[in-house]
């Protein structure tokens, strides 16, 4: 009963993540729909973390350690992306380093270390089931977390507090989370909620490719100075 409720909650929240993320990515940036969709998107991603952790606690076999790493990293990326835009640059005379700027890279490094530890633990197992996630995935997420930590550390530079750099930080992190969420829903474990005819279709990879194309195009526009994310 409880397991079914948690699975349903997981599915609903995951669907909300993808739906709100797609809307936020496609609508005009800084518009009211973008702000609403972005808020729902960030809330849904952050809500997914406790849902998955409760699932792991209640039914350990239902969630792999990689699933825990996934939600922790996605939540971190969304929160730092959100803060990048809703927190105004420090004014003259005010502290140039906030508590958040110090906490973010430490959080990312912690996720990196945890992912490496889970990865080595998985590699020591003599037999892995077919449903077990690939060991390489742990080290991929560890690398991503480490890269994000390095970029978080760079925000201590005054130059990287400009509107352009804050917009880039917001855009790539939000888009990265949307890509992984879309991949999970359409071609990953989340596809279990879809009909068999859809799961077996090669076209299921199209949504994640579309997310990549739109996100890359938008990032290029920001780099060229033609676009700016506003909150």
């Amino acid at each position: 009963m409880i397991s079914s409720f948690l699975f349903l909650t997981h599915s609903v929240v995951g669907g909300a993540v993808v739906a709100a993320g797609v809307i936020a990515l496609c609508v005009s940036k800084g518009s009211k729909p973008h702000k609403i969709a972005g808020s729902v998107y960030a809330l849904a991603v952050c809500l997914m973390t406790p849902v998955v952790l409760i699932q792991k606690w209640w039914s350990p076999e239902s969630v792999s350690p990689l699933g825990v790493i996934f939600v922790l990293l996605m939540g971190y990326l969304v929160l730092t992306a959100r803060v990048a835009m809703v927190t105004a640059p420090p004014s003259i005379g005010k502290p140039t380093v906030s508590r958040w700027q110090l906490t973010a890279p430490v959080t990312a490094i912690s996720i990196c270390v945890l992912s490496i530890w889970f990865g080595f633990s998985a590699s020591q197992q003599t037999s892995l089931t077919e449903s077990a996630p690939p060991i390489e995935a742990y080290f991929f997420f560890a690398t991503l977390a480490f890269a994000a930590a390095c970029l978080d550390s760079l925000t201590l530079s005054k130059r990287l507090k400009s509107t352009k750099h804050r917009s880039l930080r917001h855009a790539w992190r939000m888009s990265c989370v949307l890509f992984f969420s879309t991949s999970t829903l359409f071609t990953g474990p989340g596809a279990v909620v879809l009909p068999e005819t859809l799961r077996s279709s090669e076209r299921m990879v199209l949504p994640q490719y579309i997310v990549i194309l739109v996100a890359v195009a938008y990032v290029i526009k920001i780099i060229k100075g033609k676009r700016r994310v506003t909150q």
Side-chain angles (χ1 to χ4, degrees):
M1 180 68 177
I2 296 180
S3 296
S4 299
F5 174 75
L6 290 173
F7 177 78
L8 178 62
T9 303
H10 188 143
S11 302
V12 172
V13 175
V17 169
V18 174
V22 169
I23 293 173
L25 184 64
C26 295
V27 299
S28 177
K29 305 303 178 287
S31 64
K32 187 174 182 179
H34 175 75
K35 293 179 180 179
I36 295 175
S39 297
V40 173
Y41 177 61
L43 178 62
V45 172
C46 293
L47 182 60
M48 183 64 78
T49 301
V51 170
V52 170
L53 292 179
I54 292 174
Q55 280 185 293
K56 181 67 174 176
W57 173 79
W58 182 261
S59 180
E61 69 281 356
S62 65
V63 179
S64 69
L66 184 66
V68 174
I69 293 296
F70 179 84
V71 294
L72 290 176
L73 182 57
M74 297 305 105
Y76 154 79
L77 288 175
V78 162
L79 284 176
T80 51
R82 187 75 174 166
V83 170
M85 297 312 300
V86 300
T87 304
S91 302
I92 297 176
K94 292 186 177 182
T96 57
V97 179
S98 67
R99 182 178 301 176
W100 178 262
Q101 287 176 290
L102 296 176
T103 303
V106 173
T107 302
I109 288 295
S110 299
I111 295 174
C112 173
V113 172
L114 186 62
S115 186
I116 292 174
W117 184 76
F118 279 143
F120 278 119
S121 297
S123 66
Q124 297 302 315
Q125 296 182 13
T126 55
S127 60
L128 296 175
T129 62
E130 293 183 359
S131 60
I135 296 176
E136 294 81 2
Y138 291 100
F139 300 103
F140 172 79
F141 283 129
T143 302
L144 180 59
F146 180 76
C150 292
L151 292 173
D152 281 339
S153 300
L154 291 177
T155 60
L156 299 177
S157 166
K158 292 183 178 180
R159 180 177 178 274
L160 295 184
K161 292 176 183 176
S162 66
T163 300
K164 181 177 181 178
H165 286 93
R166 290 166 62 229
S167 297
L168 280 172
R169 189 169 184 243
H170 177 90
W172 84 259
R173 294 183 185 223
M174 287 292 198
S175 301
C176 184
V177 174
L178 181 58
F179 167 74
F180 286 121
S181 300
T182 304
S183 301
T184 300
L185 176 61
F186 290 100
T187 60
V192 68
V193 301
L194 302 176
E196 176 61 30
T197 53
L198 290 179
R199 295 201 303 267
S200 59
S201 174
E202 295 181 356
R203 296 180 181 179
M204 295 299 285
V205 299
L206 291 178
Q208 59 206 59
Y209 288 153
I210 292 174
V211 169
I212 292 177
L213 291 175
V214 175
V216 169
Y218 188 69
V219 167
I220 291 175
K221 288 182 179 180
I222 295 177
I223 294 175
K224 292 183 176 181
K226 296 181 179 180
R227 288 281 185 175
R228 179 171 64 89
V229 179
T230 56
Q231 291 288 333

